[in-house]
Amino acid sequence: MRLDKYISQISDLSRKEVKRILKTGLVTVNEEVCKDPSRHISDADTVCAEGERLEPPCARYFMLHKPAGYVCVTKDKDHPTVLELLDEPNLDKLQIAGRLDIDTTGLVLITDDGKWNHAVTSPKRDCKKTYLVTTLRDIEPETINKFSAGVMLDGEFKPTLPAELEILFANEAKLTISEGKYHQVKRMFAAVGNKVEELHRNQVGEIVLDEDLELGDYRELSADEVSSVKV
Ligand code: URA
């Protein structure tokens, strides 16, 4: 990690402010003054400011039970964002690992670990996401095969990757997908002539939404939950 990012992550300082401090010569790396913000810091390096050791930043991982009405972006002028539900320092350093639509509820993962975020969201990493879906019309049994073979979404050139559909009731189902195209689930049901009325995500990879979390609540992920995502 770059030196300016390292210091910024463990303080309330922006990268710009860190660069200004570095110029004063107060920061040492392995006991030598370092003014270079791009200097690479590895686990073996010791960073000090005015002689005090700066402990390496610890990555943060949270699960949130997203209520409807909140958007999964870091800033929005019209709607509250899911980050506003977190009572944590340095909110600007956190990223949302996979977005849900404003009207979708359920599991949202939030982290400041970019590699972990990528492992959750990249379609190449095959991290499965499970949704509970309520539809306007009854779900035709052939939808299971159609989703498993892949359907063409409006405006796309390639069919969706194989998805697993389990019909729970006439108009309720559990759908597991490994991609995260824009409005993917809603567009998949539209592709078979149905319409999603309610959408709730309850699982990402092996991480299941904690039943004890009320809408709007969040908690840190356990070490097992974090390591269940292979980075
Ligand atoms: N697919 C959708 O259509 N919406 C979501 O919020 C998530 C997946």
Side-chain angles (χ1 to χ4, degrees):
M1 185 187 297
R2 286 171 56 110
L3 177 60
D4 56 350
K5 189 171 179 199
Y6 181 98
I7 298 178
S8 168
Q9 279 206 358
I10 49 178
S11 64
D12 272 334
L13 300 171
S14 67
R15 300 268 278 268
K16 209 165 155 192
E17 288 165 329
V18 172
K19 281 183 187 138
R20 217 175 299 132
I21 290 170
L22 287 175
K23 278 193 194 143
T24 65
L26 289 175
V27 174
T28 57
V29 178
N30 305 332
E31 298 185 2
E32 279 182 21
V33 170
C34 181
K35 296 185 178 180
D36 176 8
S38 69
R39 158 81 190 259
H40 180 80
I41 303 298
S42 71
D43 290 345
D45 293 319
T46 303
V47 181
C48 295
E50 295 186 290
E52 290 287 322
R53 172 139 200 225
L54 301 179
E55 294 300 335
C58 214
R60 297 178 289 168
Y61 307 87
F62 303 104
M63 71 157 73
L64 166 79
H65 188 172
K66 178 192 175 296
Y70 284 76
V71 287
C72 287
V73 290
T74 44
K75 278 197 187 95
D76 190 277
K77 60 180 174 42
D78 299 319
H79 305 284
T81 79
V82 289
L83 291 182
E84 290 169 35
L85 294 165
L86 268 57
D87 182 15
E88 297 294 330
N90 297 328
L91 279 182
D92 57 318
K93 315 242 158 74
L94 291 170
Q95 310 159 358
I96 301 153
R99 295 179 179 187
L100 292 181
D101 296 336
I102 188 166
D103 53 350
T104 303
T105 58
L107 176 60
V108 173
L109 298 173
I110 298 169
T111 183
D112 52 12
D113 179 342
K115 281 193 187 146
W116 193 88
N117 184 350
H118 180 75
V120 169
T121 51
S122 166
K124 290 190 191 131
R125 305 299 295 272
D126 194 29
C127 179
K128 301 207 177 336
K129 284 99 191 166
T130 301
Y131 294 87
L132 298 173
V133 191
T134 307
T135 54
L136 179 65
R137 283 174 276 282
D138 289 356
I139 302 165
E140 306 285 346
E142 323 62 285
T143 314
I144 296 174
N145 289 339
K146 287 184 182 167
F147 283 1
S148 152
V151 284
M152 278 308 274
L153 302 184
D154 201 23
E156 302 281 343
F157 300 103
K158 278 201 271 180
T160 51
L161 292 175
E164 200 183 312
L165 182 72
E166 187 188 336
I167 300 175
L168 304 172
F169 298 102
N171 68 336
E172 281 178 40
K174 192 159 104 174
L175 177 66
T176 302
I177 59 176
S178 49
E179 303 167 279
K181 291 200 173 88
Y182 182 64
H183 292 331
Q184 171 134 358
V185 176
K186 291 174 185 164
R187 288 161 76 209
M188 284 174 75
F189 277 92
V192 294
N194 209 331
K195 182 171 185 292
V196 171
E197 292 278 274
E198 283 173 33
L199 191 55
H200 176 87
R201 181 160 72 189
N202 74 332
Q203 188 166 348
V204 173
E206 290 172 28
I207 304 172
V208 179
L209 179 62
D210 191 328
E211 286 179 2
D212 291 339
L213 289 180
E214 304 281 347
L215 278 168
D217 284 353
Y218 73 100
R219 70 157 168 80
E220 275 185 36
L221 293 189
S222 69
D224 282 350
E225 286 168 333
V226 173
S227 60
S228 71
V229 175
K230 302 289 168 253
V231 288

